[in-house]
């Protein structure tokens, strides 16, 4: 009987040791895991009617561009919209720090990309900041502006600056690791005006509201005006199935 108890005790100790070792072995993997980033809808701070919806198109384009780089994992815009709907925040113009923190945690995001935009005197200005979800600390702020006919240049500048921030963050977390090579860009047209981007955003909003006929109509117009805008073409193809 004593021997049996000793064997059981030994087995129990070995099991606990194995669990402990397994946990220690997985720590480097967890530490090296790519951080999750959520791009929230930016706040519109201007007075032009209809411009508020541009936030959806801008978010989708930034997500697409940042997803081309392997240093981070991006939350899909549809998942963000789902959380906003669940929290009944779909009509919110702005997110206060507490709400942003709650959204970030529900999305499992380590970092948030937040910001605002406004238009004045034929110029569109967009400012973005990278925020640590857990602490609310602003890690870096970036910004860009352009004329309405050069919206794509503005968006690409923002995406490039944000990518640099995340590459710096991941390099700090993993010293000596070479920066991840970007994947081929998805859905990138040669040029894109603010008005076409706004129409694309209206299509996304209609899709979010389950108004699929309006979404198809808007996307069809976008693709006709901008045949090389693959993000719009892909959305339209999915709706046509």
């Amino acid at each position: 009987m004593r021997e049996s108890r000793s064997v059981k005790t030994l087995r129990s100790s070995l099991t606990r040791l194995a669990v402990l070792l397994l946990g220690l072995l997985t720590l480097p993997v967890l530490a090296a895991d790519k951080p999750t980033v959520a791009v929230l809808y930016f706040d519109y701070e201007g007075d032009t009617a209809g411009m508020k919806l541009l936030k959806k198109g801008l978010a989708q384009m930034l997500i697409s561009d940042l997803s081309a780089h392997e240093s981070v994992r991006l939350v899909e815009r549809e998942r963000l919209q789902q959380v906003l709907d669940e929290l009944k925040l779909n009509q919110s113009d702005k997110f206060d720090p507490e709400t942003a923190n709650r959204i970030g945690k529900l999305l499992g995001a380590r970092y948030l990309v937040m910001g605002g935009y406004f238009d004045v005197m034929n110029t569109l200005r967009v400012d973005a900041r990278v925020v640590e979800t857990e602490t609310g600390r602003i890690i870096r702020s970036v910004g860009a502006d352009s004329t309405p006919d050069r919206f794509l240049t503005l968006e690409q500048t923002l995406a490039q600056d944000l990518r640099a921030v995340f590459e710096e963050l991941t390099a700090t977390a993993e010293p000596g690791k070479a920066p991840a090579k970007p994947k081929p860009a998805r859905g990138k047209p040669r040029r894109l005006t603010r008005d076409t981007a706004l129409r694309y955003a209206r299509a996304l909003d209609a899709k979010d509201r389950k108004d699929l006929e309006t979404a198809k109509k808007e996307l069809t117009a976008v693709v006709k005006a901008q045949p090389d805008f693959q993000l719009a073409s892909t959305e339209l193809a999915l709706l046509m199935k």
Side-chain angles (χ1 to χ4, degrees), residues 176-192:
K177 182 178 179 180
K181 294 182 179 180
K183 302 175 185 177
R186 298 181 299 168
K188 189 58 57 184
R190 290 188 298 274
R191 61 183 296 275
L192 190 70

Side-chain angles (χ1 to χ4, degrees), residues 203 206-207 211-220 236 239:
K207 179 184 175 184
D211 184 357
L212 301 187
E213 290 306 314
T214 298
K216 291 177 185 178
K217 179 181 177 181
E218 295 287 6
L219 285 170
T220 298
L236 181 59
L239 289 179

Side-chain angles (χ1 to χ4, degrees), residues 17-163:
L17 179 60
V19 171
L20 177 61
L21 289 174
L22 181 61
L24 291 174
L25 288 172
T26 57
L27 281 177
V29 176
L30 292 174
D33 193 22
K34 294 185 292 186
T36 298
V37 175
V39 179
L40 303 189
Y41 294 147
F42 286 19
D43 305 328
Y44 178 54
E45 300 166 348
D47 300 317
T48 304
M51 277 290 289
K52 188 172 78 169
L53 285 181
L54 183 63
K55 62 186 180 182
K56 293 193 174 184
L58 177 60
Q60 183 61 69
M61 293 176 69
L62 287 174
I63 290 169
S64 177
D65 277 350
L66 293 175
S67 295
H69 297 267
E70 297 181 345
S71 58
V72 293
R73 180 184 295 107
L74 271 294
V75 175
E76 295 290 340
R77 191 194 69 84
E78 289 79 2
R79 175 56 184 153
L80 167 64
Q81 187 63 48
Q82 181 183 10
V83 167
L84 295 180
D85 289 341
E86 290 172 355
L87 296 177
K88 302 186 184 304
L89 293 172
N90 193 35
Q91 300 302 320
S92 298
D93 292 332
K94 296 184 179 181
F95 300 127
D96 58 53
E98 183 178 347
T99 302
N101 175 273
R102 185 181 180 190
I103 294 171
K105 288 182 176 179
L106 287 173
L107 293 172
R110 187 184 305 178
Y111 301 110
L112 300 173
V113 176
M114 308 171 62
Y117 61 100
F118 64 90
D119 50 335
V120 61
M121 297 181 65
N122 203 41
T123 298
L124 177 63
R125 173 73 187 184
V126 181
D127 292 291
R129 59 189 183 276
V130 177
V131 178
E132 189 175 46
T133 301
E134 188 65 30
T135 64
R137 178 173 64 96
I138 298 176
I139 295 174
R140 189 78 55 81
S141 296
V142 299
D145 53 55
S146 76
T147 54
D149 62 328
R150 300 189 64 194
F151 179 80
L152 180 61
T153 301
L154 180 154
E155 185 273 333
Q156 287 182 323
T157 299
L158 277 178
Q160 182 177 358
D161 290 345
L162 289 169
R163 182 178 70 246

